Amino acid sequence: MISQNQYNPDSLIVKSTLLLSSTLIVFAAASLTPALPAMQEYFAGLNNVGLWVKLVVAIPSLFILLGAPVVGIGVDYIGRKSILVISIILFGLFGTLGFFIPSLFWILVSRALVGLATAGITTSVTTLIGDYYLGQARVKVLGLQAAFIGIGAVTALLTGGVLADFDWRNPFLTHLIAFLLLPLILLVIKEPEGIVNQQKSASSESVQAAANQPGGEQPQPASTQVNVPKKILIFIYFTAMLGEVMLYLVPVHLPFYLQAMTGANAKQNSIAIAAMTLFFIIGSLLFAKVKERLDYMTIVVVSLGLVSLSYEIVGLVNDYRLVLLGLTICGLGAGFLVPNLDSWLTATVPAIYRGRAVGGLTAATFLGQFLSPVLTQPLIQKLDFDIYTNYGLVYILSGCVLTIFVFITFIVDQFRKQELEAQSLN
């Protein structure tokens, strides 16, 4: 681990660099969303242009999902800083290419590469936070990271909207911000050399053990030599996936739901999503205080309980202001959930496996985003009611699914605590 005499991760410049790098995680989609109508009009001569243009926003998420586990291995074996620097350069390069490329096909190819770069940024930054900070300090920084991601989403949407008013290509230039961050990363971020050396040492020992095995038998992989809490990892991954399936119902379906409910316009839709994002930021900033009083499992119950309650409100009411109330509750719950899962995972997994574990969490998160419309859109189309009722029922049913999950989690957690208490008495 880095010597504190040589390097101070608690310095403002180090924290600022990590947090500002985290804002890039949402730029791939948010900055281009306002430009989609004009982009569709420009490429109107193409078959299925509506689908292809929407893929400009969707395809990075797919490649984050595919790339994150592989990137996680690179983060552990090559190094956190090395992967971050490479990812930042590729993000700025491929993200900006859309401004110059005349072909929609090649724009899609560049967006896929942006997704891989984003996977590298997400995994390496979160892993570095897990390496640099311990205990409550880690909890605070991960809460700030989630808040900065929310701030980045709002900033990207607003900036992309202003730039798209002049030309639909202009929002691609927002990716140049990566090159502004690159000098900071090179200067102030230090590689936790001890962790990478441990990983290389473990690999060397594994190779040496293989050479000493009679008959060429292979030794057990290094992962079995360190206590990796697989059950906790599975629970964290599943919770992240389920949470994103539910949370993504807002950007995917809410504009259509509000339009069917009240005839809401684009401005009202933006206000509704912004209200949820604002309370996501507030929840993230409050997370450190919440963690001082509650354990990780209890926060999962509370956060998803809030999202469940919010969706029952959103699905049952027929008033725009009450929908806003429901979305603020949803944002607060999401603001607790995201840093809680990051903190739980980075605190639980051994350092030499942290990159792979964070890569798995990143993949689970974006798998949830990918599955959200896939699972819910067919349900909306099959329900035999008017479109307003169909959307409302999807929110109500989603709230019920979360309620069941929260109830089961709470019961299991209570049994677990009783067992631990009985063991301590014995």
Side-chain angles (χ1 to χ4, degrees), residues 59 68 78 122 167 169 177 203 215 244 255 261 272 281 304 326 339 347 352 361 373 385 390 396 405 408 417:
I59 204 166
I78 299 172
T122 306
D167 190 290
R169 293 186 182 275
I177 192 174
S203 298
E244 285 299 319
M261 179 194 299
I281 295 170
L304 289 181
I352 62 171
L361 180 58
F385 301 99
N390 288 355
I396 293 170
F405 178 75
I408 293 172
K417 289 177 178 176

Coordinates of all heavy atoms in Angstrom, one line a residue, residues 59 68 78 122 167 169 177 203 215 244 255 261 272 281 304 326 339 347 352 361 373 385 390 396 405 408 417:
I59 N -25.9 1.8 -26.8 CA -24.8 0.8 -27.0 C -23.7 0.9 -26.1 O -23.0 -0.1 -25.7 CB -24.4 0.9 -28.5 CG1 -23.7 -0.5 -28.9 CG2 -23.4 2.0 -28.7 CD1 -23.5 -0.6 -30.4
A68 N -16.8 -4.7 -18.5 CA -16.4 -4.5 -17.1 C -15.7 -5.7 -16.4 O -14.7 -5.5 -15.7 CB -17.6 -4.1 -16.2
I78 N -2.8 -5.3 -14.1 CA -2.0 -4.3 -14.7 C -1.8 -3.1 -13.8 O -0.7 -2.5 -13.7 CB -2.6 -3.9 -16.0 CG1 -2.7 -5.0 -17.0 CG2 -1.8 -2.7 -16.7 CD1 -3.5 -4.8 -18.3
T122 N -15.0 3.6 -14.6 CA -15.9 3.2 -13.5 C -15.2 2.2 -12.6 O -15.1 2.4 -11.3 CB -17.2 2.5 -14.0 OG1 -17.8 3.4 -14.9 CG2 -18.1 2.2 -12.9
D167 N -26.0 22.6 -33.2 CA -25.8 21.5 -34.1 C -25.8 20.2 -33.3 O -25.2 20.1 -32.2 CB -24.4 21.7 -34.8 CG -24.3 20.7 -36.0 OD1 -24.1 19.5 -35.7 OD2 -24.3 21.1 -37.2
R169 N -24.2 17.6 -33.7 CA -22.8 17.0 -33.5 C -22.1 17.6 -32.3 O -21.2 17.0 -31.7 CB -22.0 17.2 -34.7 CG -22.5 16.4 -35.9 CD -21.5 16.5 -37.1 NE -21.9 15.8 -38.3 CZ -21.8 14.5 -38.5 NH1 -21.1 13.8 -37.6 NH2 -22.2 13.9 -39.6
I177 N -13.6 16.9 -22.1 CA -13.3 17.1 -20.7 C -12.4 16.1 -20.1 O -11.6 16.3 -19.2 CB -14.7 17.2 -19.9 CG1 -14.4 17.7 -18.5 CG2 -15.3 15.8 -19.8 CD1 -15.7 17.9 -17.7
S203 N 0.5 -14.8 -8.6 CA 0.5 -15.5 -9.9 C 1.8 -16.3 -10.0 O 1.8 -17.5 -10.5 CB 0.5 -14.5 -11.0 OG -0.8 -13.8 -10.9
G215 N 3.2 -35.2 -11.9 CA 2.3 -35.5 -12.9 C 1.7 -34.4 -13.6 O 0.7 -34.5 -14.3
E244 N -31.3 -1.6 -10.4 CA -31.2 -0.9 -11.6 C -32.3 -1.2 -12.6 O -32.8 -0.3 -13.3 CB -29.8 -1.1 -12.3 CG -28.7 -0.4 -11.7 CD -28.8 1.1 -11.8 OE1 -29.3 1.6 -12.8 OE2 -28.4 1.7 -10.8
P255 N -41.5 9.6 -19.1 CA -42.1 10.6 -20.0 C -43.4 10.2 -20.7 O -44.3 11.0 -20.9 CB -40.9 10.8 -21.1 CG -39.7 10.4 -20.3 CD -40.1 9.3 -19.4
M261 N -50.8 10.7 -18.6 CA -51.6 11.1 -17.4 C -52.1 12.5 -17.5 O -53.3 12.8 -17.3 CB -50.7 10.9 -16.2 CG -51.3 11.3 -14.9 SD -50.1 11.5 -13.5 CE -49.4 9.9 -13.4
A272 N -39.3 16.5 -13.7 CA -39.6 15.3 -12.9 C -38.3 14.5 -12.7 O -38.0 14.1 -11.6 CB -40.7 14.5 -13.6
I281 N -28.8 13.0 -5.3 CA -27.6 13.7 -4.8 C -27.7 13.9 -3.3 O -26.7 13.6 -2.6 CB -27.4 15.0 -5.5 CG1 -27.1 14.7 -7.0 CG2 -26.3 15.8 -4.9 CD1 -27.2 16.0 -7.9
L304 N -34.3 0.3 -0.7 CA -35.3 -0.4 -1.6 C -36.7 -0.2 -1.1 O -37.6 -0.2 -1.9 CB -34.9 -1.8 -1.9 CG -33.6 -2.0 -2.7 CD1 -33.4 -3.5 -2.9 CD2 -33.7 -1.3 -4.0
G326 N -43.4 11.3 -5.2 CA -42.9 9.9 -5.3 C -41.5 9.8 -5.9 O -40.7 9.0 -5.3
P339 N -24.1 4.1 -3.2 CA -22.9 4.1 -2.4 C -22.8 3.0 -1.3 O -21.7 2.5 -1.0 CB -22.9 5.5 -1.7 CG -24.3 5.9 -1.7 CD -24.9 5.3 -2.9
A347 N -15.3 -2.9 1.0 CA -14.9 -3.2 2.4 C -14.8 -4.7 2.6 O -14.1 -5.2 3.5 CB -15.9 -2.6 3.4
I352 N -6.5 -7.6 -3.4 CA -5.9 -8.1 -4.7 C -7.0 -8.6 -5.6 O -6.8 -8.9 -6.8 CB -4.9 -9.2 -4.4 CG1 -5.5 -10.4 -3.7 CG2 -3.7 -8.6 -3.7 CD1 -4.5 -11.6 -3.7
L361 N -19.6 -5.8 -10.2 CA -20.6 -4.9 -9.7 C -21.0 -4.0 -10.9 O -22.2 -3.7 -11.1 CB -20.2 -4.1 -8.5 CG -21.2 -3.1 -7.9 CD1 -22.5 -3.9 -7.5 CD2 -20.6 -2.4 -6.7
P373 N -36.0 -2.2 -19.8 CA -37.0 -2.1 -20.9 C -37.3 -3.5 -21.5 O -38.5 -3.7 -21.9 CB -36.3 -1.2 -21.9 CG -34.9 -1.3 -21.7 CD -34.7 -1.6 -20.2
F385 N -55.4 -2.7 -21.0 CA -56.0 -1.5 -20.5 C -55.6 -0.3 -21.4 O -54.8 -0.5 -22.3 CB -55.6 -1.2 -19.0 CG -56.0 -2.3 -18.1 CD1 -55.1 -3.3 -17.7 CD2 -57.3 -2.4 -17.6 CE1 -55.4 -4.3 -16.8 CE2 -57.7 -3.4 -16.7 CZ -56.7 -4.4 -16.4
N390 N -51.8 1.1 -18.1 CA -50.7 0.1 -18.3 C -49.4 0.5 -17.6 O -48.8 -0.2 -16.9 CB -50.5 -0.2 -19.7 CG -51.6 -1.0 -20.4 OD1 -52.5 -1.4 -19.7 ND2 -51.6 -1.2 -21.7
I396 N -46.7 0.0 -10.2 CA -47.3 -0.6 -9.0 C -46.7 -2.1 -8.8 O -46.3 -2.4 -7.7 CB -48.8 -0.7 -9.1 CG1 -49.4 0.7 -9.0 CG2 -49.4 -1.6 -8.0 CD1 -50.9 0.8 -9.4
F405 N -39.0 -8.5 -2.1 CA -37.6 -8.7 -1.9 C -37.1 -8.0 -0.6 O -36.3 -8.6 0.1 CB -36.8 -8.0 -3.1 CG -35.3 -8.1 -3.0 CD1 -34.7 -9.2 -3.2 CD2 -34.6 -6.9 -2.6 CE1 -33.3 -9.3 -3.1 CE2 -33.2 -7.0 -2.5 CZ -32.6 -8.2 -2.7
I408 N -38.3 -10.3 2.4 CA -37.5 -11.5 2.5 C -36.1 -11.2 3.0 O -35.5 -11.9 3.9 CB -37.3 -12.3 1.1 CG1 -38.7 -12.8 0.7 CG2 -36.3 -13.4 1.2 CD1 -38.7 -13.4 -0.7
K417 N -28.8 -12.2 12.4 CA -28.4 -11.5 13.6 C -28.7 -12.3 14.8 O -27.9 -12.3 15.8 CB -29.2 -10.2 13.6 CG -28.7 -9.2 12.6 CD -29.5 -7.9 12.7 CE -28.9 -6.9 11.7 NZ -29.8 -5.6 11.6

